[in-house]
Amino acid sequence: MTDSNSLARDVAFLRSAVERSDRTPGGIYFVWAVVLVLGGIVSQWSPEWSARYWMLAAPVGVAASIVIGWRSGRRAGARGTVAGVRSTFHWAGVTLITFAVMAVALGHDVRPEALGTLAFLVVSLGYYLKAVHTDRSAYAAAAISLGAAGALLLLPGSWFWIGLVCGAGLAGIGLLEIRRGPTDA
């Protein structure tokens, strides 16, 4: 009987470890909250700098996210987890696809005001796919990004408020993730 109890505990431990390894560390949501708030400010009051800001801030945000994820995994005792590598490739791909969509849009005379909506749509798809495949908390981030895309369609030029609301939403998700406890990736 003790063998079956021990086996059940071992299986429960493994399941818990797998679920934790697929979660996004809360600090990553804070990185993107800051990126979005600053991006909203730049896009609202210095639109001539907006494209340069996003071309710099997006890769820096991805790099910071990778470092946070790696450090979180190391703290939890994991090194080079499959989940961490998969997440890195996922978000690097989302970033590259976002830049590709921007290039295609600019090549087809899409109004510059529409670029933010397109970017939020690609990012919301990235969050949605992350939620479907690994991390259910990403559903909330997908909803926030999709709401931002819709808000930009209905309220063009409201970058500051959209950045502020999105940043607050992502910070809220980050706080919830931190309260849930450590992750492995």
Side-chain angles (χ1 to χ4, degrees), residues 129-165:
L129 292 173
K130 176 87 170 152
V132 166
H133 295 291
T134 59
D135 183 4
R136 284 179 272 159
S137 69
Y139 280 123
I144 290 168
S145 295
L146 191 57
L152 280 172
L153 281 173
L154 297 173
L155 306 165
S158 54
W159 274 102
F160 171 72
W161 293 109
I162 290 169
L164 194 62
V165 169

Short mmCIF file of all heavy atoms in Angstrom, two decimals, residues 129-165:
data_model
loop_
_atom_site.label_atom_id
_atom_site.label_comp_id
_atom_site.label_asym_id
_atom_site.label_seq_id
_atom_site.Cartn_x
_atom_site.Cartn_y
_atom_site.Cartn_z
N LEU A 129 -2.11 31.72 -28.49
CA LEU A 129 -1.48 30.42 -28.77
C LEU A 129 -0.67 29.93 -27.56
O LEU A 129 -0.65 28.73 -27.27
CB LEU A 129 -0.61 30.50 -30.02
CG LEU A 129 -1.40 30.71 -31.32
CD1 LEU A 129 -0.45 30.94 -32.48
CD2 LEU A 129 -2.31 29.53 -31.58
N LYS A 130 -0.01 30.84 -26.87
CA LYS A 130 0.71 30.46 -25.65
C LYS A 130 -0.27 29.88 -24.63
O LYS A 130 0.02 28.87 -23.99
CB LYS A 130 1.43 31.69 -25.09
CG LYS A 130 2.13 31.48 -23.78
CD LYS A 130 3.51 30.98 -23.98
CE LYS A 130 4.27 31.02 -22.67
NZ LYS A 130 5.29 30.02 -22.62
N ALA A 131 -1.44 30.51 -24.50
CA ALA A 131 -2.45 30.04 -23.54
C ALA A 131 -3.00 28.68 -23.94
O ALA A 131 -3.16 27.79 -23.11
CB ALA A 131 -3.57 31.06 -23.42
N VAL A 132 -3.27 28.50 -25.22
CA VAL A 132 -3.83 27.23 -25.69
C VAL A 132 -2.85 26.09 -25.45
O VAL A 132 -3.23 25.01 -25.00
CB VAL A 132 -4.19 27.31 -27.20
CG1 VAL A 132 -4.44 25.93 -27.78
CG2 VAL A 132 -5.40 28.20 -27.41
N HIS A 133 -1.58 26.33 -25.71
CA HIS A 133 -0.60 25.25 -25.67
C HIS A 133 0.08 25.04 -24.33
O HIS A 133 0.45 23.91 -24.02
CB HIS A 133 0.45 25.46 -26.77
CG HIS A 133 -0.15 25.36 -28.13
ND1 HIS A 133 -0.61 24.19 -28.65
CD2 HIS A 133 -0.38 26.31 -29.07
CE1 HIS A 133 -1.11 24.41 -29.86
NE2 HIS A 133 -0.98 25.69 -30.14
N THR A 134 0.27 26.11 -23.54
CA THR A 134 1.05 25.90 -22.32
C THR A 134 0.56 26.67 -21.10
O THR A 134 0.48 26.11 -20.03
CB THR A 134 2.53 26.26 -22.53
OG1 THR A 134 2.64 27.62 -22.93
CG2 THR A 134 3.19 25.37 -23.55
N ASP A 135 0.29 27.95 -21.21
CA ASP A 135 0.14 28.81 -20.04
C ASP A 135 -1.22 29.49 -20.04
O ASP A 135 -1.41 30.51 -20.70
CB ASP A 135 1.27 29.84 -20.04
CG ASP A 135 1.25 30.75 -18.84
OD1 ASP A 135 0.42 30.55 -17.93
OD2 ASP A 135 2.08 31.67 -18.79
N ARG A 136 -2.17 28.96 -19.27
CA ARG A 136 -3.53 29.49 -19.29
C ARG A 136 -3.62 30.95 -18.85
O ARG A 136 -4.56 31.64 -19.25
CB ARG A 136 -4.44 28.62 -18.43
CG ARG A 136 -4.80 27.33 -19.15
CD ARG A 136 -5.67 26.47 -18.32
NE ARG A 136 -4.76 25.66 -17.52
CZ ARG A 136 -5.08 25.07 -16.40
NH1 ARG A 136 -6.28 25.17 -15.93
NH2 ARG A 136 -4.19 24.36 -15.74
N SER A 137 -2.68 31.44 -18.07
CA SER A 137 -2.74 32.84 -17.65
C SER A 137 -2.58 33.78 -18.84
O SER A 137 -2.95 34.95 -18.76
CB SER A 137 -1.68 33.14 -16.59
OG SER A 137 -0.39 33.10 -17.15
N ALA A 138 -2.06 33.29 -19.95
CA ALA A 138 -1.87 34.13 -21.13
C ALA A 138 -3.19 34.47 -21.81
O ALA A 138 -3.23 35.37 -22.65
CB ALA A 138 -0.91 33.46 -22.12
N TYR A 139 -4.29 33.77 -21.47
CA TYR A 139 -5.60 34.16 -22.03
C TYR A 139 -5.94 35.61 -21.66
O TYR A 139 -6.46 36.36 -22.48
CB TYR A 139 -6.71 33.24 -21.52
CG TYR A 139 -6.82 31.91 -22.23
CD1 TYR A 139 -6.73 30.73 -21.52
CD2 TYR A 139 -7.01 31.85 -23.61
CE1 TYR A 139 -6.84 29.50 -22.15
CE2 TYR A 139 -7.12 30.63 -24.25
CZ TYR A 139 -7.03 29.46 -23.53
OH TYR A 139 -7.13 28.25 -24.16
N ALA A 140 -5.65 35.98 -20.42
CA ALA A 140 -5.94 37.35 -19.99
C ALA A 140 -5.11 38.35 -20.78
O ALA A 140 -5.61 39.40 -21.20
CB ALA A 140 -5.67 37.49 -18.49
N ALA A 141 -3.84 38.04 -21.00
CA ALA A 141 -2.98 38.94 -21.78
C ALA A 141 -3.47 39.01 -23.23
O ALA A 141 -3.42 40.08 -23.85
CB ALA A 141 -1.53 38.47 -21.72
N ALA A 142 -3.96 37.90 -23.78
CA ALA A 142 -4.51 37.90 -25.14
C ALA A 142 -5.72 38.82 -25.21
O ALA A 142 -5.88 39.60 -26.15
CB ALA A 142 -4.88 36.48 -25.57
N ALA A 143 -6.57 38.75 -24.19
CA ALA A 143 -7.76 39.61 -24.16
C ALA A 143 -7.36 41.08 -24.06
O ALA A 143 -7.97 41.94 -24.72
CB ALA A 143 -8.66 39.21 -22.99
N ILE A 144 -6.35 41.37 -23.26
CA ILE A 144 -5.89 42.76 -23.12
C ILE A 144 -5.36 43.27 -24.46
O ILE A 144 -5.69 44.38 -24.90
CB ILE A 144 -4.80 42.85 -22.02
CG1 ILE A 144 -5.44 42.65 -20.65
CG2 ILE A 144 -4.06 44.19 -22.09
CD1 ILE A 144 -4.45 42.43 -19.52
N SER A 145 -4.55 42.47 -25.14
CA SER A 145 -3.98 42.88 -26.44
C SER A 145 -5.07 43.05 -27.49
O SER A 145 -5.04 43.99 -28.28
CB SER A 145 -2.95 41.85 -26.91
OG SER A 145 -1.87 41.82 -26.05
N LEU A 146 -6.01 42.12 -27.50
CA LEU A 146 -7.11 42.22 -28.47
C LEU A 146 -7.97 43.45 -28.18
O LEU A 146 -8.38 44.17 -29.10
CB LEU A 146 -7.96 40.96 -28.43
CG LEU A 146 -8.98 40.79 -29.54
CD1 LEU A 146 -8.32 40.83 -30.92
CD2 LEU A 146 -9.73 39.46 -29.36
N GLY A 147 -8.18 43.73 -26.90
CA GLY A 147 -8.92 44.95 -26.53
C GLY A 147 -8.18 46.21 -26.97
O GLY A 147 -8.80 47.17 -27.42
N ALA A 148 -6.87 46.19 -26.87
CA ALA A 148 -6.07 47.34 -27.31
C ALA A 148 -6.21 47.54 -28.81
O ALA A 148 -6.34 48.68 -29.29
CB ALA A 148 -4.61 47.15 -26.94
N ALA A 149 -6.20 46.44 -29.57
CA ALA A 149 -6.38 46.56 -31.03
C ALA A 149 -7.73 47.16 -31.35
O ALA A 149 -7.84 48.06 -32.19
CB ALA A 149 -6.23 45.18 -31.69
N GLY A 150 -8.76 46.69 -30.66
CA GLY A 150 -10.10 47.24 -30.88
C GLY A 150 -10.19 48.69 -30.47
O GLY A 150 -10.81 49.52 -31.17
N ALA A 151 -9.56 49.04 -29.35
CA ALA A 151 -9.59 50.43 -28.89
C ALA A 151 -8.89 51.36 -29.89
O ALA A 151 -9.36 52.48 -30.14
CB ALA A 151 -8.93 50.54 -27.52
N LEU A 152 -7.79 50.89 -30.48
CA LEU A 152 -7.10 51.72 -31.47
C LEU A 152 -7.95 51.91 -32.73
O LEU A 152 -7.84 52.94 -33.40
CB LEU A 152 -5.75 51.12 -31.83
CG LEU A 152 -4.64 51.39 -30.83
CD1 LEU A 152 -3.39 50.59 -31.18
CD2 LEU A 152 -4.32 52.87 -30.75
N LEU A 153 -8.78 50.91 -33.05
CA LEU A 153 -9.69 51.07 -34.19
C LEU A 153 -10.77 52.09 -33.88
O LEU A 153 -11.13 52.92 -34.72
CB LEU A 153 -10.35 49.73 -34.55
CG LEU A 153 -9.51 48.76 -35.35
CD1 LEU A 153 -10.24 47.42 -35.47
CD2 LEU A 153 -9.19 49.32 -36.73
N LEU A 154 -11.33 52.02 -32.68
CA LEU A 154 -12.43 52.90 -32.30
C LEU A 154 -11.97 54.28 -31.85
O LEU A 154 -12.68 55.27 -32.04
CB LEU A 154 -13.25 52.25 -31.18
CG LEU A 154 -13.92 50.94 -31.54
CD1 LEU A 154 -14.56 50.31 -30.30
CD2 LEU A 154 -14.96 51.14 -32.63
N LEU A 155 -10.81 54.33 -31.23
CA LEU A 155 -10.29 55.59 -30.68
C LEU A 155 -8.88 55.85 -31.17
O LEU A 155 -7.91 55.83 -30.39
CB LEU A 155 -10.29 55.53 -29.15
CG LEU A 155 -11.60 55.17 -28.46
CD1 LEU A 155 -11.36 54.79 -27.01
CD2 LEU A 155 -12.58 56.33 -28.58
N PRO A 156 -8.70 56.08 -32.47
CA PRO A 156 -7.34 56.29 -32.97
C PRO A 156 -6.66 57.46 -32.26
O PRO A 156 -7.29 58.45 -31.93
CB PRO A 156 -7.54 56.59 -34.45
CG PRO A 156 -8.99 56.74 -34.68
CD PRO A 156 -9.72 56.29 -33.46
N GLY A 157 -5.39 57.29 -32.00
CA GLY A 157 -4.64 58.36 -31.35
C GLY A 157 -4.72 58.33 -29.83
O GLY A 157 -4.25 59.25 -29.18
N SER A 158 -5.32 57.30 -29.26
CA SER A 158 -5.44 57.23 -27.80
C SER A 158 -4.35 56.34 -27.20
O SER A 158 -4.58 55.57 -26.28
CB SER A 158 -6.82 56.71 -27.41
OG SER A 158 -7.08 55.48 -28.06
N TRP A 159 -3.15 56.49 -27.72
CA TRP A 159 -2.03 55.64 -27.34
C TRP A 159 -1.72 55.69 -25.85
O TRP A 159 -1.43 54.66 -25.24
CB TRP A 159 -0.79 56.04 -28.13
CG TRP A 159 -0.73 55.36 -29.45
CD1 TRP A 159 -1.03 55.91 -30.66
CD2 TRP A 159 -0.37 54.01 -29.69
NE1 TRP A 159 -0.88 54.98 -31.64
CE2 TRP A 159 -0.47 53.80 -31.08
CE3 TRP A 159 0.03 52.97 -28.88
CZ2 TRP A 159 -0.18 52.59 -31.66
CZ3 TRP A 159 0.32 51.75 -29.46
CH2 TRP A 159 0.21 51.57 -30.84
N PHE A 160 -1.73 56.88 -25.27
CA PHE A 160 -1.36 56.99 -23.87
C PHE A 160 -2.27 56.14 -23.00
O PHE A 160 -1.80 55.35 -22.17
CB PHE A 160 -1.39 58.45 -23.40
CG PHE A 160 -1.22 58.58 -21.91
CD1 PHE A 160 0.01 58.35 -21.33
CD2 PHE A 160 -2.30 58.92 -21.11
CE1 PHE A 160 0.17 58.45 -19.95
CE2 PHE A 160 -2.15 59.03 -19.74
CZ PHE A 160 -0.91 58.79 -19.16
N TRP A 161 -3.57 56.29 -23.18
CA TRP A 161 -4.53 55.56 -22.34
C TRP A 161 -4.47 54.06 -22.61
O TRP A 161 -4.57 53.25 -21.69
CB TRP A 161 -5.93 56.11 -22.54
CG TRP A 161 -6.01 57.50 -22.01
CD1 TRP A 161 -6.12 58.65 -22.73
CD2 TRP A 161 -5.91 57.90 -20.65
NE1 TRP A 161 -6.09 59.74 -21.91
CE2 TRP A 161 -5.97 59.31 -20.62
CE3 TRP A 161 -5.76 57.21 -19.45
CZ2 TRP A 161 -5.91 60.02 -19.43
CZ3 TRP A 161 -5.70 57.93 -18.26
CH2 TRP A 161 -5.77 59.32 -18.27
N ILE A 162 -4.30 53.70 -23.86
CA ILE A 162 -4.22 52.28 -24.20
C ILE A 162 -2.96 51.67 -23.58
O ILE A 162 -2.99 50.58 -22.99
CB ILE A 162 -4.27 52.07 -25.73
CG1 ILE A 162 -5.68 52.40 -26.21
CG2 ILE A 162 -3.87 50.65 -26.11
CD1 ILE A 162 -5.82 52.51 -27.70
N GLY A 163 -1.82 52.37 -23.68
CA GLY A 163 -0.60 51.90 -23.05
C GLY A 163 -0.73 51.78 -21.54
O GLY A 163 -0.29 50.80 -20.94
N LEU A 164 -1.40 52.76 -20.94
CA LEU A 164 -1.59 52.75 -19.50
C LEU A 164 -2.48 51.59 -19.06
O LEU A 164 -2.15 50.86 -18.11
CB LEU A 164 -2.19 54.09 -19.05
CG LEU A 164 -2.16 54.41 -17.57
CD1 LEU A 164 -0.72 54.49 -17.08
CD2 LEU A 164 -2.89 55.71 -17.32
N VAL A 165 -3.59 51.40 -19.74
CA VAL A 165 -4.52 50.31 -19.38
C VAL A 165 -3.88 48.94 -19.63
O VAL A 165 -3.96 48.04 -18.78
CB VAL A 165 -5.86 50.46 -20.14
CG1 VAL A 165 -6.72 49.21 -20.00
CG2 VAL A 165 -6.60 51.70 -19.66
#
